[in-house]
Amino acid sequence: MKSLIGDLFGTSPFGPIVEHSKKVHECVEMLWPLMEALVNEDYATIRLLHSKMSRLEHEADLIKDEVRTFLSQRTFLPVDRSQLIAFLSRQEQIADLAEDFTVVLTLRDTRIHPDIQEEFFDFLNQVFQVSGNFLTASVEFKNLAGTAFGGAEARAVLEYIKELSNEEWKCDKMSRRLSRRIFALEGKESTLNILFYEKMVKILGDIADQAQKAGELLEMIIAKP
């Protein structure tokens, strides 16, 4: 990992920042097999996936630390250093939340009620849409360094960010709808399970929210004169 990151740097931080975005998205992608294992009550697989998630999150941390070290050693950068660090922090929170979700699933062997299984997968798929749009915007942002963050390329990235916000808005609506379905299980499901489901919804929603906020930071960087 160390030599690979070193090869990425050169004189620009944007390549490594995109590599961090990709690694963070890998953490988010791990949530689907985790949810499948939970629905199938395959708790042994959940624990194995937790180990894989921890490794991915650690790899993301290594890249993040390298980028921060690079930024601290450079006097002249094409964009504000504090905004890049804030952007990295948003990405870091996405990876941390993905790992938090995994940890929650390992705390107890919980059965997901059949009435909400499909909606959970729909909601998770929407979180993927948000994360995927964020990754696209981040990758395209890298290409702006050679255009002084202007022109058609900048407008294209702003469109990606706008779509990211739209997808996150859909995620918010789905989150509220799923929460209503969860609380409608009162009397059919234990209170502890209902609280467990709501914790899952909260973390997934926070992942989408952090991705949207990271997109807003990209927008601020591009819009800054």
Side-chain angles (χ1 to χ4, degrees):
M1 176 63 69
K2 185 77 171 179
S3 60
L4 173 62
I5 296 172
D7 290 342
L8 287 169
F9 273 93
T11 59
S12 170
F14 299 108
I17 286 174
V18 169
E19 292 305 310
H20 186 242
S21 301
K22 292 177 180 177
K23 188 62 67 173
V24 167
H25 187 66
E26 282 186 56
C27 293
V28 177
E29 288 181 321
M30 284 289 298
L31 300 178
W32 192 271
L34 278 160
M35 182 62 75
E36 287 184 324
L38 183 63
V39 166
N40 292 328
E41 300 177 43
D42 186 354
Y43 306 114
T45 295
I46 289 174
R47 284 183 276 276
L48 288 173
L49 291 171
H50 172 243
S51 296
K52 184 175 180 180
M53 176 73 85
S54 294
R55 185 172 66 253
L56 285 173
E57 194 274 337
H58 177 63
E59 290 171 359
D61 270 348
L62 290 177
I63 299 173
K64 173 207 66 182
D65 290 343
E66 287 288 323
V67 177
R68 282 182 171 168
T69 298
F70 178 88
L71 292 174
S72 69
Q73 295 172 348
R74 293 299 184 277
T75 303
F76 300 105
L77 290 167
V79 300
D80 189 284
R81 178 186 288 102
S82 64
Q83 289 182 320
L84 289 179
I85 291 174
F87 179 71
L88 279 174
S89 295
R90 291 292 182 189
Q91 293 196 141
E92 179 184 17
Q93 289 180 57
I94 294 170
D96 287 346
L97 285 164
E99 185 174 24
D100 287 348
F101 185 85
T102 312
V103 170
V104 166
L105 298 194
T106 64
L107 294 178
R108 62 193 294 266
D109 295 346
T110 303
R111 175 178 176 268
I112 299 294
H113 197 284
D115 288 358
I116 58 172
Q117 289 179 6
E118 184 175 351
E119 286 189 70
F120 250 119
F121 278 113
D122 289 343
F123 180 48
L124 180 54
N125 188 61
Q126 186 59 35
V127 173
F128 283 176
Q129 289 293 323
V130 175
S131 180
N133 282 357
F134 166 67
L135 177 60
T136 300
S138 180
V139 170
E140 292 301 319
F141 175 74
K142 172 189 172 184
N143 300 326
L144 292 181
T147 67
F149 301 94
E153 293 87 352
R155 289 192 293 273
V157 175
L158 291 174
E159 282 300 314
Y160 287 127
I161 294 170
K162 181 179 178 181
E163 183 60 26
L164 166 63
S165 295
N166 288 336
E167 295 298 335
E168 197 275 333
W169 174 71
K170 294 176 187 176
C171 209
D172 277 347
K173 292 203 303 181
M174 292 179 74
S175 170
R176 291 190 291 270
R177 185 164 62 243
L178 178 54
S179 289
R180 286 193 293 270
R181 290 275 289 160
I182 287 170
F183 286 109
L185 293 173
E186 190 174 1
K188 301 182 192 177
E189 187 60 278
S190 72
T191 300
L192 188 56
N193 276 358
I194 287 173
L195 293 175
F196 182 85
Y197 301 154
E198 266 300 290
K199 180 67 172 178
M200 292 169 61
V201 171
K202 175 68 165 56
I203 295 174
L204 293 176
D206 285 347
I207 289 172
D209 183 59
Q210 290 300 324
Q212 192 264 336
K213 284 182 168 59
E216 288 179 346
L217 280 169
L218 290 184
E219 186 176 24
M220 288 172 59
I221 292 171
I222 295 169
K224 186 174 181 179

